[in-house]
Amino acid sequence: MQLISATVPILATATETADSSMVLAAVLLSLVVIYFASKVGGELCNKVGLPSVLGELLGGVVIGVSVLHLLVFPEGGTDASNSLIMSFLQLTAGLTPEATPAVFAAQSEVVSVLSELGVIILLFEIGLESNLKDLMAVGVQAVVVATVGVVVPFAAGTVGLMTIFGISAIPAIFAGAALTATSIGITSKVLSELGKLNSKEGQIILGAAVIDDVLGIIVLAVVASLAKDGAVDVGNVIYLIVSASAFLIGAIVFGNVFNKSFVAIADKLKTRGELVIPAFIFAFMMAYLASIIHLEAILGAFAAGLVLEETDKRKELQKQVIPIADMLVPVFFVAVGAKTDLGVLNPAIPTNQEALIMATFLITVAIIGKVVTGLTVFGQPGINRLAIGVGMIPRGEVGLVFAGVGAASGVLSKPLGAAIIMMVIITTFIAPPLLRFVFPESNTATNLDNNSGTTLAVETPQSLITTKDD
C-alpha cells in the first residue's frame, strides 16, 4: 500500500475540476454514514458478545457496494450514478449531473486517504500499547510462525490450483501469494478488545503479523514482477529484503537514542498539543520513510509506536491518542467493508459457480495454512497454540491489496479473482469471533508469564475496548 505516491496525485487531479464546497459536503455526508454504520454495527456485535471491529466491517458491507450503495468507490467498478450520496447532493445541494463525476472522484479519494490515515494511526496506537522487550522476547517464535504462515498456504494454494483446477503457473502463484497475507490491523484490534495484546500469545501473533507484512510485500513484488513480464526481478527482491530488515532494525536501534530526546522536547513545549503533536510528527515521518523505501506505511507507524512506548510519557501519550484514533480508525474498517462486493457469492451467476468451488479450496487452505502455525511455537509450555494460529487467519485489507494488484495486472481470470475476494471476506469475518472463542473469557484479565512464573496484569487499551460508553 504505497499510500502517499498512489493517492495524493489522484486527489490533486480530482479536486482541480471539482467544486470544493460540493466535495466538502460529500465528504461530510460520507463521514456521517461511516460513523453511524460503525456505531450501529459495533453496538449490535457487542450485544451478542462479538468484537466491535466485526460490526464495523459488517456495517461497511451494509452501506457499501453490496447493499445500500451509500459509500462506493470508483476502483470497485462503480461510478457516480451508483452513489446514493451523490444522488442526495443532487436533490438537496444543487449538484449538477455534469459536475457529479468530478465530485464523486474527489470525495472517494478523500475518504480513502482518511481510511489509510486511520490504519496508520491504529498501528501507531498498537505500537504504543506493545512492549518492545516482550515483543523481542518472542522474536524467534514470531519469525517461525510468520515463515510457516507464508510458506504453507503459498505452497498448498499454488500447487492445489495447478493440479486440481488446471490453473496456469503465474495466476496460481498470484493466488497462492494472496493466501500469505495477515491483517495486522484487524487482529491487533481484536486482541486489544479481548485484553490479550500483551499476552504471550498476543505478542507472538503481533510479531508474526509484522514479519508477515514484510514477507508479504516481498512476495507481492515477486508475483507482480512475474505478472508483468514473466520474470522475477532478483535485484528488486534483494532490495526489498535488505531495506525492510534495515528499516525495522534501524527503528529499534534509533529508538534507544531518540527516547530521551523526545521527552526533553516535550517537556520544553508549553502550548497545546505539546506531547501528541511531536509524537505524530515522528509517527508520520516514520510512515513516510517506510513508504518511500517500498514498505507499507503502517509498518513505519507501528515502529514509531514501539519506540515511543519506551518513554516515560507513554501512558500520557496513549490517553491523548485515544480520541484521535476514535475518530479515524472506524473510517478504515468501514471502508474495507464498503469496498467488499458480496455479489461474487451469488451462485446463480454461472461464472460464480466455478468461483465458489475454487473459493472453497482457497478458504480451506487459508484457514488451515494459518492455524498450523500455532503448532510451530516451541519453548512455551501451556501457551494457547490454537489462539496463535487463529490470530493469523484474517487477510483483511492486505488480502484486498493482492486481489487489487492481480485484477489490475489482468493475470487473474474472473472466477479466480472472485475466489480470492471471497477468501478475503470469509477469513476477515470469521477471525474475530473465532479469536473470542479460543481465548477463554475468564482469562482476559490476567496472563501467566511463563518465564518468571508470575502473573502479569494486562494493560487493556481503553480506546479499543467495547464498553457501555464506547
Side-chain angles (χ1 to χ4, degrees):
M1 286 187 298
Q2 302 305 318
L3 310 178
I4 296 174
S5 61
T7 57
V8 172
I10 301 174
L11 176 61
T13 302
T15 52
E16 283 175 3
T17 56
D19 184 339
S20 59
S21 63
M22 286 295 177
V23 173
L24 177 60
V27 171
L28 292 175
L29 281 176
S30 299
L31 290 176
V32 169
V33 171
I34 288 170
Y35 289 140
F36 185 79
S38 71
K39 293 312 295 179
V40 171
E43 291 295 326
L44 289 176
C45 281
N46 182 43
K47 287 185 181 297
V48 297
L50 294 175
S52 64
V53 61
L54 182 59
E56 293 176 358
L57 286 167
L58 291 174
V61 169
V62 171
I63 67 171
V65 67
S66 296
V67 184
L68 298 180
H69 286 258
L70 283 167
L71 186 68
V72 293
F73 297 87
E75 59 265 33
T78 58
D79 55 31
S81 64
N82 298 118
S83 171
L84 289 185
I85 287 180
M86 293 298 109
S87 299
F88 186 77
L89 285 174
Q90 289 178 353
L91 291 174
T92 62
L95 178 64
T96 64
E98 294 77 16
T100 298
V103 173
F104 174 65
Q107 169 250 352
S108 299
E109 288 300 329
V110 171
V111 173
S112 294
V113 169
L114 291 176
S115 170
E116 302 293 3
L117 187 58
V119 74
I120 288 173
I121 291 174
L122 170 62
L123 267 295
F124 176 56
E125 186 178 26
I126 295 298
L128 285 173
E129 296 157 359
S130 303
N131 187 278
L132 182 58
K133 293 184 177 63
D134 291 343
L135 198 59
M136 294 178 68
V138 297
V140 176
Q141 288 92 341
V143 170
V144 173
V145 169
T147 302
V148 173
V150 168
V151 173
V152 171
F154 175 75
T158 302
V159 173
L161 286 172
M162 293 177 67
T163 57
I164 299 174
F165 298 96
I167 304 295
S168 58
I170 292 180
I173 291 172
F174 213 111
L179 295 170
T180 65
T182 295
S183 175
I184 183 175
I186 291 172
T187 295
S188 57
K189 185 172 182 182
V190 174
L191 288 171
S192 295
E193 292 180 335
L194 295 176
K196 287 292 186 178
L197 188 64
N198 287 334
S199 66
K200 285 288 185 182
E201 294 89 349
Q203 291 297 297
I204 291 174
I205 293 170
L206 190 60
V210 172
I211 298 168
D212 228 20
D213 251 355
V214 176
L215 294 176
I217 291 298
I218 296 171
V219 171
L220 181 60
V222 172
V223 295
S225 177
L226 275 173
K228 183 178 180 181
D229 51 26
V232 177
D233 187 344
V234 178
N236 187 45
V237 174
I238 295 174
Y239 167 77
L240 287 169
I241 295 173
V242 173
S243 62
S245 303
F247 179 82
L248 293 175
I249 295 172
I252 294 172
V253 173
F254 173 69
N256 294 327
V257 178
F258 178 74
N259 284 339
K260 294 181 180 179
S261 299
F262 175 81
V263 173
I265 292 171
D267 286 338
K268 289 183 179 180
L269 298 176
K270 302 302 178 184
T271 55
R272 183 174 175 176
E274 71 278 5
L275 179 61
V276 73
I277 295 300
F280 274 122
I281 290 174
F282 177 60
F284 292 159
M285 181 56 67
M286 292 289 284
Y288 168 75
L289 291 175
S291 180
I292 63 173
I293 61 174
H294 304 292
L295 299 176
E296 291 199 42
I298 57 176
L299 290 182
F302 177 77
L306 284 178
V307 169
L308 297 184
E309 191 276 337
E310 295 289 304
T311 69
D312 297 335
K313 300 285 188 180
R314 173 177 59 88
K315 289 187 178 294
E316 184 181 352
L317 181 57
Q318 284 179 355
K319 292 179 181 178
Q320 293 189 23
V321 169
I322 286 172
I324 301 172
D326 287 344
M327 288 291 292
L328 288 173
V329 173
V331 180
F332 164 68
F333 285 107
V334 172
V336 169
K339 292 177 181 180
T340 303
D341 185 4
L342 293 185
V344 298
L345 294 172
N346 184 4
I349 301 176
T351 55
N352 286 354
Q353 294 174 3
E354 182 183 359
L356 283 168
I357 298 173
M358 283 195 293
T360 302
F361 169 76
L362 291 180
I363 291 167
T364 302
V365 172
I367 294 174
I368 296 176
K370 293 295 186 179
V371 170
V372 298
T373 60
L375 301 177
T376 64
V377 177
F378 58 92
Q380 299 288 339
I383 200 165
N384 192 335
R385 288 177 170 81
L386 180 59
I388 292 173
V390 170
M392 299 294 292
I393 287 176
R395 269 55 176 192
E397 75 288 349
V398 185
L400 292 175
V401 170
F402 276 85
V405 173
S409 66
V411 70
L412 299 176
S413 64
K414 287 187 177 180
L416 184 56
I420 293 174
I421 293 174
M422 290 162 65
M423 179 274 297
V424 172
I425 293 171
I426 298 299
T427 57
T428 299
F429 285 169
I430 68 169
L434 282 180
L435 270 175
R436 184 174 290 276
F437 177 76
V438 298
F439 275 122
E441 192 72 26
S442 59
N443 292 335
T444 57
T446 59
N447 296 287
L448 185 64
D449 182 351
N450 292 307
N451 293 330
S452 62
T454 58
T455 298
L456 299 176
V458 176
E459 288 186 43
T460 307
Q462 295 301 313
S463 63
L464 300 181
I465 293 181
T466 306
T467 65
K468 183 177 180 181
D469 298 325
D470 183 24

